[in-house]
Amino acid sequence: MIYIDTHTHLYDEQLNPDEDAMVQRAVNGGVAKMYMPNCDSSTVSSMLRIADKWAQNCFPMMGLHPTYVKDNYKQELDSVKQWLGKRKFYGVGEIGLDYYWDLTYKAQQIEAFELQIDWALEYDLPIIIHSRESIQDCIDIVKKKQNGKLKGIFHCFGSSIIEARQITELSFYMGIGGVVTFKKSNLPEVLKETGLSNIVLETDAPYLAPLPYRGKRNESAYIPLIAGQIATITGMPVEEVATITTRNAEMVFNK
Ligand code: NI
């Protein structure tokens, strides 16, 4: 079985101590490809170090994360733009809106999101969307920008069937991670109704580890646990979950 982790912060400090062993565990477990979303200019060098070292398995993306939109956001956006012109990236992310932590920079978050979507279109790259208490605004912006060429993932999807339907209509995908294994998750209901046609797998490591590691450090090697839970929910063999979600991820990241 071949899996793809569409969202993993392999460069996170929490993962540094056994970075190589961790990537190797994931690869050994069938997680052949790992896509790394960027946060801001301070995370680029460690992300690229991993991408260069594991060039067959680990792929960097470029973007300014909404919770990192602060007073210096224009310089940060300049840095994103420059990097996009400098080397190959596999997506623009993670970008989006976060109304949970801080609303001070809401207008700047929207500006940064829209601008980075335009760059994704310019470079023909998928976008990786972070939405927290902001999913409808994110959907509306994507709707406005969708010219038939925009593609991407609503990362860490946890909303209802209403949002899931809108995302599917936009030909976008939903990233499902460890939350699907939590008892209170509404994802089983959503997945039963939507099926897997627009679903990709992600860990969001080092955060949101699936059961039985909930609350501990997450890593890409746990992707099969997420696939296993989706198999249980949908009644599909896990091989089929792997095949469909890997094919979906390839649709997002390759032409
Ligand atoms: Ni993330």
Side-chain angles (χ1 to χ4, degrees):
M1 273 179 277
I2 302 292
Y3 295 103
I4 296 178
D5 187 349
T6 60
H7 195 114
T8 177
H9 300 266
L10 293 172
Y11 52 82
D12 189 277
E13 279 174 7
Q14 289 187 56
L15 306 177
N16 284 164
D18 63 340
E19 188 181 283
D20 285 333
M22 183 189 62
V23 173
Q24 194 62 60
R25 272 196 295 276
V27 172
N28 291 349
V31 186
K33 294 183 181 178
M34 289 159 260
Y35 288 87
M36 298 181 282
N38 190 49
C39 291
D40 71 358
S41 59
S42 74
T43 50
V44 177
S45 62
S46 40
M47 177 177 71
L48 292 180
R49 179 176 50 75
I50 293 173
D52 289 340
K53 197 161 168 190
W54 296 86
Q56 305 302 313
N57 308 101
C58 301
F59 305 98
M61 304 196 275
M62 179 47 61
L64 177 62
H65 189 298
T67 63
Y68 294 77
V69 171
K70 305 283 178 204
D71 285 330
N72 68 342
Y73 78 105
K74 286 206 189 276
Q75 284 120 277
E76 284 290 334
L77 287 171
D78 275 347
S79 161
V80 169
K81 181 77 168 111
Q82 279 175 23
W83 274 113
L84 285 171
K86 237 187 283 187
R87 63 159 284 161
K88 166 86 181 148
F89 289 96
Y90 293 81
V92 174
E94 53 188 288
I95 61 175
L97 306 172
D98 192 310
Y99 298 165
Y100 175 78
W101 291 107
D102 186 5
L103 283 171
T104 316
Y105 297 96
K106 183 176 170 181
Q108 292 86 342
Q109 282 190 28
I110 293 171
E111 183 190 338
F113 186 32
E114 295 198 349
L115 188 59
Q116 293 181 95
I117 293 177
D118 292 341
W119 294 341
L121 285 166
E122 191 183 324
Y123 284 91
D124 196 18
L125 292 172
I127 58 174
I128 309 304
I129 301 168
H130 170 107
S131 64
R132 195 151 181 206
E133 296 189 359
S134 64
I135 190 147
Q136 193 57 53
D137 282 8
C138 288
I139 289 171
D140 291 343
I141 288 171
V142 169
K143 214 174 272 177
K144 186 172 82 180
K145 296 279 185 185
Q146 182 54 285
N147 60 0
K149 295 204 170 124
L150 189 60
K151 54 183 188 170
I153 298 169
F154 280 81
H155 136 68
C156 199
F157 181 81
S159 299
S160 75
I161 189 71
I162 297 165
E163 288 81 18
R165 282 203 196 100
Q166 297 181 73
I167 289 167
T168 305
E169 273 167 29
L170 287 164
S171 302
F172 266 61
Y173 291 82
M174 289 162 274
I176 302 293
V179 174
V180 77
T181 68
F182 300 172
K183 284 205 173 62
K184 279 191 177 155
S185 169
N186 66 326
L187 285 171
E189 261 173 70
V190 174
L191 286 171
K192 273 179 211 157
E193 185 147 349
T194 60
L196 298 190
S197 63
N198 290 66
I199 300 296
V200 295
L201 304 180
E202 64 171 53
T203 56
D204 204 15
Y207 311 105
L208 296 170
L211 290 175
Y213 303 107
R214 187 172 183 179
K216 303 214 171 74
R217 192 188 80 167
N218 196 6
E219 56 175 83
S220 291
Y222 297 162
I223 281 282
L225 294 170
I226 295 161
Q229 179 65 17
I230 294 174
T232 305
I233 290 165
T234 57
M236 276 179 198
V238 71
E239 291 80 1
E240 206 176 328
V241 174
T243 304
I244 295 171
T245 56
T246 295
R247 191 180 60 211
N248 290 347
E250 294 288 9
M251 291 286 289
V252 174
F253 290 109
N254 299 301
K255 276 141 216 144

